[in-house]
Amino acid sequence: MLKVGIVGLPNVGKSTLFNALTNAGALAANYPFATIEPNVGIVPVPDERLDFLSKMYESDKTIPATVEFVDIAGLVEGASKGEGLGNKFLAHIRECQIVCHVVRAFQDSDVIRAEGSKDPENDIAIIQTELELADLETREKVEAKRKKSQAPDESIPYLTEKPVIYMFNVDEAGLVDADLQCKLQALVAPAQAVFINAKLEAEMSGMSADERKEFLREYGVKKDALRELIRAAYQTLGLQSFLTAGKKESRAWTIRQGATAPQAAGAIHSDFERGFIAAEVMKFEDLKALGSEQAVKAAGKLRTEGKTYVMEDGDIVEFRFNV
């Protein structure tokens, strides 16, 4: 499962955002370290293709791909030396595949700024510096251990090597301010940036996808932040989804881009990969356009693929295997 660590200085809207994404109800208090232990939430990946398949096949169960979000305690200057909750912060972030750095880009005198916090550029630099200092300390410890024991080099998940998505918490005007968004995107390029208003997200908590879309439209916003964040995470990590469908269940599975059919089969069960024979593959677009699996087959668009087939996003697959 994709694991995203949500980080940021205190009072940037991080826990409010986490609550909105997961409907989890973490304490979103206006003071540092309202989040001490990481709050963890499992979020389904929105996928309209899966909903379509579930209706078409009248599936008993619909199982989306999921993302695990981890709300990690607020970081302050000096965290690499144990200030604030620094050591816990660093331990939790190491466990995540990708970092979502929430950056304050709104003005609100009622929400106090963390010590050292000034503006987006400065705040980004604070966290980057702390991660670099933490990595430097880790490298020194690893090197000392290696010299002492003559042990081979370890594979260490250095914090600054983790991919980062920047999520700018803007005010309502910022959601439709193209100039501001271009400026903030340029600040973090080539990393991806997503723009969100945490207060609006909190108001939408519990709404259906259609209700969210309508609510955002009233504010002139065309993109759903949760979808954008997951899309950015998938793109940054080189992930994609394939689909399986039937009466028993319709399900989305997450694999790496470039994965072969046997590797995709292994995402379902290791036996599928070990005993792989072939994959029956059709494109979602073909199924949607033609209206049924039988029509796809009649049109010659249901293909039998072998071990070298490279999976594409949205492939609908049935694997044949023998163990």
Side-chain angles (χ1 to χ4, degrees):
M1 186 191 306
L2 175 59
K3 192 169 185 177
V4 180
I6 302 178
V7 305
L9 292 172
N11 300 342
V12 297
K14 184 170 57 65
S15 290
T16 302
L17 170 62
F18 173 84
N19 292 345
L21 290 176
T22 64
N23 295 325
L27 175 66
N30 182 18
Y31 58 88
F33 319 128
T35 315
I36 297 175
E37 291 301 325
N39 292 290
V40 178
I42 309 296
V43 179
V45 175
D47 194 333
E48 292 170 356
R49 301 170 302 188
L50 184 63
D51 298 334
F52 180 90
L53 290 178
S54 190
K55 287 176 183 175
M56 172 176 279
Y57 285 86
E58 298 180 345
S59 303
D60 295 333
K61 289 194 293 185
T62 304
I63 306 176
T66 53
V67 174
E68 181 176 328
F69 286 104
V70 183
D71 178 18
I72 299 172
L75 176 65
V76 294
E77 261 184 302
S80 59
K81 302 192 187 316
E83 291 291 325
L85 296 165
N87 292 331
K88 287 190 176 185
F89 169 93
L90 299 170
H92 294 312
I93 198 173
R94 282 194 174 95
E95 299 168 4
C96 298
Q97 295 158 274
I98 190 167
V99 176
C100 173
H101 182 174
V102 182
V103 183
R104 176 172 176 162
F106 64 89
Q107 300 295 328
D108 188 343
S109 58
D110 291 334
V111 179
I112 58 174
R113 280 191 174 275
E115 187 176 350
S117 173
K118 296 175 185 174
D119 54 54
E121 185 172 9
N122 176 78
D123 293 1
I124 289 169
I126 288 175
I127 286 193
Q128 184 63 23
T129 298
E130 292 305 322
L131 298 184
E132 288 172 357
L133 290 171
D135 278 351
L136 179 62
E137 184 178 342
T138 300
R139 284 189 173 90
E140 289 172 350
K141 287 179 180 177
V142 169
E143 181 64 18
K145 183 179 176 182
R146 189 184 65 79
K147 285 181 178 177
K148 187 176 181 180
S149 64
Q150 297 298 309
D153 289 344
E154 296 178 68
S155 178
I156 304 294
Y158 289 110
L159 304 179
T160 51
E161 293 173 358
K162 290 185 180 292
V164 180
I165 297 168
Y166 291 90
M167 179 163 269
F168 290 99
N169 187 7
V170 298
D171 50 31
E172 290 175 17
L175 286 173
V176 291
D177 188 335
D179 289 340
L180 173 65
Q181 292 185 14
C182 283
K183 181 181 175 183
L184 294 173
Q185 173 67 76
L187 191 63
V188 298
Q192 297 207 48
V194 178
F195 303 94
I196 192 169
N197 178 277
K199 284 185 178 179
L200 285 187
E201 290 294 324
E203 288 182 43
M204 290 189 289
S205 183
M207 289 186 184
S208 68
D210 288 340
E211 288 170 338
R212 285 175 66 92
K213 196 177 292 184
E214 183 59 36
F215 184 83
L216 289 169
R217 191 180 292 126
E218 292 177 9
Y219 288 88
V221 180
K222 297 177 181 177
K223 294 180 178 179
D224 184 293
L226 173 58
R227 288 176 182 268
E228 284 297 293
L229 175 57
I230 293 175
R231 179 200 58 76
Y234 268 55
Q235 190 171 332
T236 300
L237 290 173
L239 301 176
Q240 63 184 11
S241 296
F242 74 90
L243 307 160
T244 54
K247 179 68 177 74
K248 184 179 178 182
E249 69 174 35
S250 288
R251 185 164 182 167
W253 306 83
T254 302
I255 54 173
R256 292 206 168 274
Q257 293 172 12
T260 62
Q263 288 169 334
I268 298 176
H269 197 285
S270 57
D271 285 351
F272 282 35
E273 182 172 8
R274 193 170 76 250
F276 179 89
I277 297 171
E280 301 287 343
V281 183
M282 58 181 162
K283 299 298 179 192
F284 173 80
E285 292 76 12
D286 291 336
L287 179 62
K288 186 175 182 181
L290 294 169
S292 72
E293 193 173 318
Q294 292 75 19
V296 172
K297 192 180 293 186
K301 292 182 179 292
L302 179 65
R303 309 183 318 279
T304 300
E305 301 287 358
K307 291 183 177 180
T308 59
Y309 175 68
V310 176
M311 300 289 291
E312 295 182 7
D313 186 59
D315 277 349
I316 303 169
V317 192
E318 183 175 349
F319 295 107
R320 297 210 305 264
F321 69 102
N322 183 35
V323 290

